[in-house]
Amino acid sequence: MLLQNKKMNTQDIKIEHYTYLLPEHRIAKYPLKERSDSKLLIYNKGIREDKFCNIPSLLPSKSLLLFNNTKVIQARVLFKKETGAQIEVFCLEPVQPADISMAFEAKTKSVWKCIVGNSKKWKDGKLYKNIAHAGKTIRLAISRKQTLEDAQVIEFEWDNNEVSFGEVLEAIGKTPIPPYLKRESEQLDTLRYQTIYSNYKGSVAAPTAGLHFTKEILNQLYDRGIKTGNVTLHVGAGTFKPVKSKSIGEHEMHTEHFFVDMETLNLILEYKGNITSTGTTTVRTLESLYWLGVKLLEGNKDLFINQWDAYQLPKHYSLTEAIGKLKAYLIDNDYSTLESYTGILIAPGYEFKVVDRLITNFHQPNSTLLLLVAAFTKGEAWKKIYEYALNNDFRFLSYGDSSLLYKGQ
């Protein structure tokens, strides 16, 4: 039974009004054999069902479909102490070098912010692991550099200056599947917990709405005259962070790193009013672009969006004005790509500026992702959508089924 919700200011929202009972057996622990065989719930005032393989015919022709082309890294590395105790190091984001591309290209040394599992068993000193790479054995060592409130800073060192850190992770890392799957990652996850259009390494969680797409579907989109484009937002572990505070105003939103090129900015202007977002990470990126443009229009050159900016900045600027200002910023600075960070929190009360339709999976109770869906569909619609999915055998969470949601009026 879904709980009732009251209309209120965004920061006063109680998370208990945005939850539902998710039975364990409704969580998809593994993907379907074929990516596009998932069920598709369509919400456009009413609710109906279809198959994801039909998505090209369900989207308006001459519209724009945007993807997040980030690539999941093999972020989990296991070490064993001489005592037999197993230590798991989960790489979250680079510290030195801080640039994600440079971090993967680093030779002999790279420093990362990490979550360390079974940390109490690692008292001090270095931990070692041998890596087989290109017929050679590489010695990898890790050491603690700093303890943070929610993580640790770990230095990785290896004894071959021809091997990059990206290659080290590819050789020994494991796919960081979501904790709610309650199983170890397997070989199939290396392929299936990755979109077919993934391109830029940097995420520790997949933009899972895109896991249903196949090359055949992409070809059909082209044949239908549906334009596609990309943004890049590197998904952090914070995407799984539940809202533990009673009110949304007390929740600290995670921050994520994103990139958008000039071509995509032009597409947004060309197709404004007819844009479909693949996944909540793409939504976060697209909506953040508008507010970055507003900041520049207001004379604020701090190109970062915090969780409350969208509720506090002026709202009278058009999308054309905001994106136009971002384009001018890139041209003036001779940049081809906008790089920024966003901690935007999209919850009921938010007015969408860029996205008109949303393709997304079914999200956890008490999550910011569910709040985003509630904001997008407006009012009580999210409850009807989730009740329908629960009552009609839809599979939930990362490896689950999909939905095509139209923006509520």
Side-chain angles (χ1 to χ4, degrees):
M1 181 76 181
L2 296 173
L3 299 178
Q4 293 302 306
N5 162 33
K6 298 178 182 178
K7 186 176 181 181
M8 57 185 68
N9 292 330
T10 299
Q11 292 196 35
D12 294 331
I13 286 174
K14 305 298 183 189
I15 193 61
E16 65 181 350
H17 297 142
Y18 293 86
T19 190
Y20 65 95
L21 179 62
L22 176 58
E24 185 69 22
H25 71 274
R26 303 307 297 276
I27 299 172
K29 300 298 177 70
Y30 290 90
L32 295 176
K33 185 176 180 181
E34 299 296 332
R35 287 178 182 264
S36 60
D37 279 352
S38 293
K39 295 171 70 172
L40 181 71
L41 182 152
I42 303 167
Y43 170 74
N44 187 6
K45 296 182 180 177
I47 296 172
R48 63 188 177 94
E49 277 188 48
D50 212 304
K51 285 289 191 74
F52 193 87
C53 59
N54 296 326
I55 195 78
S57 64
L58 298 169
L59 294 174
S61 60
K62 311 302 180 185
S63 62
L64 174 64
L65 176 61
L66 290 169
F67 300 106
N68 180 6
N69 63 3
T70 187
K71 191 168 190 175
V72 180
I73 63 173
Q74 303 293 91
R76 295 172 57 235
V77 184
L78 302 179
F79 290 82
K80 228 172 200 180
K81 294 190 64 182
E82 293 179 357
T83 60
Q86 183 167 276
I87 310 296
E88 178 181 307
V89 178
F90 186 176
C91 298
L92 297 177
E93 60 187 52
V95 175
Q96 188 180 354
D99 178 85
I100 191 75
S101 298
M102 293 178 63
F104 286 122
E105 293 168 1
K107 304 292 179 65
T108 72
K109 184 183 294 186
S110 189
V111 181
W112 283 66
K113 178 182 176 181
C114 303
I115 294 174
V116 179
N118 207 16
S119 180
K120 291 181 180 178
K121 296 288 186 180
W122 182 13
K123 300 298 184 184
D124 50 35
K126 294 184 177 183
L127 297 178
Y128 296 91
K129 191 176 186 73
N130 289 330
I131 306 170
H133 178 76
K136 295 181 180 179
T137 299
I138 300 169
R139 185 72 160 166
L140 173 67
I142 60 169
S143 55
R144 282 195 187 101
K145 292 299 174 185
Q146 186 181 356
T147 297
L148 307 174
E149 183 179 350
D150 58 347
Q152 297 182 40
V153 177
I154 303 296
E155 182 178 76
F156 294 81
E157 297 177 280
W158 57 102
D159 59 0
N160 188 323
N161 59 13
E162 296 180 357
V163 177
S164 69
F165 185 66
E167 291 172 310
V168 167
L169 284 185
E170 286 295 323
I172 61 166
K174 294 182 177 293
T175 304
I177 59 173
Y180 49 63
L181 295 185
K182 297 180 181 178
R183 65 174 177 84
E184 286 297 313
S185 60
E186 301 175 22
Q187 187 59 42
L188 69 86
D189 296 307
T190 304
L191 176 66
R192 294 302 301 276
Y193 195 62
Q194 196 83 265
T195 63
I196 64 163
Y197 47 78
S198 63
N199 195 15
Y200 298 103
K201 294 179 181 178
S203 284
V204 298
T208 54
L211 296 181
H212 309 283
F213 284 89
T214 63
K215 289 182 179 179
E216 182 180 14
I217 288 177
L218 295 182
N219 290 334
Q220 290 173 1
L221 290 168
Y222 176 82
D223 292 340
R224 281 263 300 153
I226 297 170
K227 183 69 176 178
T228 59
N230 297 292
V231 301
T232 305
L233 179 140
H234 294 313
V235 188
T239 192
F240 301 123
K241 183 180 178 182
V243 179
K244 293 183 177 179
S245 58
K246 289 185 178 181
S247 67
I248 303 306
E250 297 168 343
H251 177 73
E252 184 178 350
M253 193 66 180
H254 59 284
T255 298
E256 292 168 318
H257 195 184
F258 72 86
F259 305 81
V260 179
D261 61 22
M262 182 69 85
E263 180 183 357
T264 299
L265 294 179
N266 286 328
L267 286 174
I268 291 169
L269 289 180
E270 182 180 351
Y271 288 89
K272 65 180 186 291
N274 204 5
I275 296 174
T276 307
S277 170
T278 305
T280 57
T281 60
T282 307
V283 171
R284 282 166 54 78
T285 306
L286 295 174
E287 295 297 318
S288 293
L289 290 176
Y290 172 82
W291 298 110
L292 286 173
V294 169
K295 276 194 163 184
L296 289 175
L297 287 165
E298 288 287 301
N300 186 341
K301 296 184 179 180
D302 175 23
L303 288 188
F304 166 82
I305 299 299
N306 71 45
Q307 67 186 68
W308 300 118
D309 276 347
Y311 305 89
Q312 296 167 349
L313 288 168
K315 298 175 175 59
H316 62 272
Y317 294 105
S318 69
L319 180 59
T320 299
E321 289 173 313
I323 300 301
K325 189 64 176 179
L326 286 180
K327 288 182 59 180
Y329 170 82
L330 293 182
I331 292 169
D332 291 346
N333 289 279
D334 198 25
Y335 297 151
S336 61
T337 299
L338 174 72
E339 177 181 357
S340 186
Y341 292 83
T342 183
I344 191 171
L345 192 154
I346 298 177
Y350 179 85
E351 294 295 329
F352 287 81
K353 301 296 186 178
V354 185
V355 180
D356 304 290
R357 291 169 298 273
L358 169 61
I359 296 170
T360 190
N361 289 11
F362 296 93
H363 304 293
Q364 289 179 287
N366 295 39
S367 67
T368 56
L369 304 182
L370 183 58
L371 288 171
L372 187 152
V373 169
F376 191 76
T377 53
K378 292 197 174 181
E380 306 292 290
W382 75 271
K383 297 179 181 178
K384 297 175 183 177
I385 291 165
Y386 274 67
E387 282 176 345
Y388 185 96
L390 287 167
N391 292 332
N392 289 274
D393 298 321
F394 278 73
R395 301 160 70 247
F396 278 61
L397 308 187
S398 294
Y399 277 142
D401 293 317
S402 186
S403 64
L404 170 59
L405 309 176
Y406 281 69
K407 185 166 61 176
Q409 300 302 317

